[in-house]
Amino acid sequence: AQGDSTPQGKAGVRGDTGRAFKVVLIDDNQLCRNGLVQVFDGAGFQIAAAVETRAALPAVRRVEPAVVVYDVHGDDALQRRR
């Protein structure tokens, strides 16, 4: 859901440590974001999704993801830094 940064997932994809792989997804396009959330969730990853970087930073700090999937072209914060 838009702006949602709550991890979700099924049993979870686990690494060597036995801990579930966590993913933070940042994408301003709702259709893409929802589709990717379904893909990651369906594969058993714990996923937290956000519309923009600023909204995702608290989730990144709290969730400590193994990976962040980021739509570079759609994020205003990154564009301003260029």
Side-chain angles (χ1 to χ4, degrees):
Q2 185 171 357
D4 182 14
S5 60
T6 304
Q8 44 186 312
K10 296 180 176 131
V13 176
R14 302 194 181 278
D16 293 338
T17 63
R19 294 176 26 188
F21 280 120
K22 299 173 187 174
V23 176
V24 171
L25 168 68
I26 307 167
D27 196 323
D28 64 331
N29 182 300
Q30 184 176 1
L31 186 61
C32 290
R33 187 176 58 252
N34 290 346
L36 287 169
V37 165
Q38 288 180 359
V39 169
F40 280 109
D41 185 54
F45 291 90
Q46 288 185 338
I47 180 91
V51 176
E52 61 182 18
T53 305
R54 234 176 271 147
L57 289 177
V60 170
R61 290 183 185 111
R62 184 182 70 253
V63 174
E64 297 180 358
V67 67
V68 175
V69 178
Y70 184 79
D71 173 21
V72 175
H73 297 290
D75 198 315
D76 291 336
L78 183 63
Q79 297 297 329
R80 283 192 292 271
R81 290 183 184 169
R82 289 182 182 172

